[in-house]
Amino acid sequence: MLLALALVLGAVTPASAHKPSDSYLTLAIDGNTINGQWDIALRDLEFAVGVDGNGDGQLTWDEIRARHNDIAAYALARLTITGCPISAGEQLVDHHTDGAYTVLKFTASCDVAPRRLQIGYRLFADTDPHHKGLLKLSAGGAIRTAIFGIDKPDQVVTLEETSRLGELADYVGHGVWHIWIGFDHILFLLSLLLPAVLVWRGAAWQKAPDFRSAAVDVFKIISAFTVAHSVTLSLAALQVVSLPSRWVESAIAASVVIAALNNITPLVHGRRWIAAFVFGLIHGFGFASVLADLGLPEGSLALALVGFNVGVELGQLAIVAAFLPLAYAVRGSWFYRRLVLVGGSAVIALLAAVWLAERLFEIELLTA
């Protein structure tokens, strides 16, 4: 159990605590021509190619413009569309909720109108193993989506019309993948799950009397978290409610700190599902940012929301299925109560506190 927790924390530690490093790649197919737009965070480009010419920490338009050729050369050298050579176009600057982005326009000329695209994506593969590229591809009035990363650098995207079932499966896959790479979401869940196999009695953690009581506690926590984030995910994805990414990500980090510290000095121990519900409302906005960036297909909003939500829940259940039997088996040991629960929670709280500082003050304390 301690090894599993250490592996999770080890995977998280080098990750940047800002909004996860993402770029947004948009492709629109018109005959044998592909018109592309690539939004890349300037903070990521600064780390990779050095956009801040004078090193004063402030980016100006002149500094960005002076590096346009270098930015285009760096980015396009890490993107391939088989059979369709890419040519760089103009560059602009746009602002997303988490900061300034360069907007690189480009075109790709194919020999014939493509029926499927084989895309290779390796942006920041040598500097940030957690970076993801979110693809939105438009062809014939339909939208295709994909997520690229160091684990999935090459993918084939078919342009033929997919069934509703296939579209649903795609969004389920995106939901599963997002919860598994959402380290702050995972650590929040672990903070709530760690004491699920224990009970607070006599000012100390004691082992739960039976597996059923532990499982019921876990069921309440997961159900409350699911209902809460499903509500805000839907509201945000449908643009009924919109919150700044910086504040959402900061609140998510704060939720991890609070949940972890509560394991060390319990203030809420009997009804932790309430905390799961309250903080789940915040985490839902974090889930929504990814779904919105992938692009909600017109006429299929409900399908995309359901699929993504189901994927998130499947990802959570996989974590619970791996965690609960192991935790229950060693729940009565000093090893679990001291090293795993208290020690693990302390490490989680410290890490999340660093994340919180980074997100609030937009500074880099942890680097890839």
Side-chain angles (χ1 to χ4, degrees):
M1 177 65 65
L2 186 60
L3 176 60
L5 184 60
L7 289 174
V8 172
L9 295 176
V12 175
T13 299
S16 171
H18 291 286
K19 179 179 180 293
S21 174
D22 298 325
S23 78
Y24 307 101
L25 179 62
T26 303
L27 303 178
I29 297 179
D30 182 12
N32 62 344
T33 300
I34 302 173
N35 296 306
Q37 176 177 311
W38 203 353
D39 291 24
I40 307 171
L42 288 176
R43 65 171 184 270
D44 294 333
L45 286 169
E46 166 60 23
F47 187 79
V49 300
V51 183
D52 186 5
N54 57 17
D56 64 354
Q58 301 293 324
L59 292 177
T60 66
W61 171 244
D62 287 339
E63 288 176 327
I64 298 170
R65 184 170 51 192
R67 300 306 304 274
H68 272 180
N69 290 338
D70 295 327
I71 291 172
Y74 175 83
L76 295 181
R78 288 158 176 81
L79 175 69
T80 59
I81 304 175
T82 302
C84 305
I86 301 173
S87 302
E90 65 174 338
Q91 288 186 55
L92 306 170
V93 173
D94 194 8
H95 286 269
H96 291 229
T97 56
D98 60 323
Y101 281 63
T102 189
V103 179
L104 172 61
K105 304 279 189 176
F106 63 89
T107 58
S109 300
C110 309
D111 295 332
V112 296
R115 300 186 64 180
R116 66 179 201 166
L117 294 181
Q118 183 173 339
I119 301 173
Y121 182 103
R122 288 168 175 79
L123 185 67
F124 304 130
D126 52 345
T127 60
D128 184 359
H130 303 289
H131 173 79
K132 300 297 174 186
L134 305 183
L135 170 68
K136 179 180 178 181
L137 188 151
S138 302
I143 293 178
R144 306 286 183 271
T145 60
I147 302 177
F148 290 87
I150 194 170
D151 54 330
K152 292 184 178 180
D154 298 290
Q155 297 186 47
V156 176
V157 182
T158 180
L159 307 183
E160 297 176 354
E161 185 176 354
T162 58
S163 66
R164 303 282 281 183
L165 183 60
E167 188 176 338
L168 176 65
D170 286 342
Y171 278 96
V172 170
H174 291 322
V176 171
W177 183 242
H178 180 66
I179 193 67
W180 284 353
I181 65 171
F183 300 122
D184 43 10
H185 302 303
I186 290 177
L187 291 187
F188 176 71
L189 280 176
L190 280 178
S191 297
L192 292 176
L193 292 174
L194 282 172
V197 294
L198 305 170
V199 292
W200 182 255
R201 183 184 301 123
W205 287 112
Q206 305 292 335
K207 67 178 183 179
D210 52 59
F211 185 81
R212 181 180 180 278
S213 62
V216 168
D217 192 26
V218 170
F219 175 77
K220 290 179 180 178
I221 291 170
I222 295 299
S223 297
F225 186 67
T226 296
V227 171
H229 76 63
S230 296
V231 170
T232 47
L233 167 60
S234 300
L235 291 176
L238 296 174
Q239 299 183 341
V240 176
V241 180
S242 179
L243 296 179
S245 173
R246 176 185 173 189
W247 296 110
V248 169
E249 298 299 324
S250 298
I252 290 174
S255 74
V256 180
V257 174
I258 294 170
L261 291 179
N262 187 66
N263 295 339
I264 301 172
T265 305
L267 297 177
V268 178
H269 49 82
R271 296 183 177 180
R272 285 175 299 110
W273 64 267
I274 297 177
F277 181 85
V278 172
F279 289 123
L281 295 172
I282 300 170
H283 284 247
F285 287 106
F287 293 138
S289 66
V290 173
L291 184 57
D293 292 332
L294 282 171
L296 290 170
E298 294 183 11
S300 302
L301 298 181
L303 192 69
L305 283 171
V306 170
F308 191 81
N309 244 325
V310 168
V312 169
E313 304 326 314
L314 290 176
Q316 290 179 169
L317 289 175
I319 295 171
V320 171
F323 167 85
L324 186 57
L326 291 174
Y328 182 79
V330 297
R331 73 194 189 285
S333 65
W334 177 90
F335 162 77
Y336 184 82
R337 284 179 290 165
R338 292 296 181 185
L339 292 183
V340 177
L341 176 66
V342 177
S345 295
V347 173
I348 291 173
L350 178 61
L351 178 60
V354 175
W355 283 353
L356 178 58
E358 288 194 347
R359 294 173 182 184
L360 280 177
F361 304 110
E362 298 186 317
I363 56 176
E364 289 285 354
L365 300 175
L366 300 177
T367 56

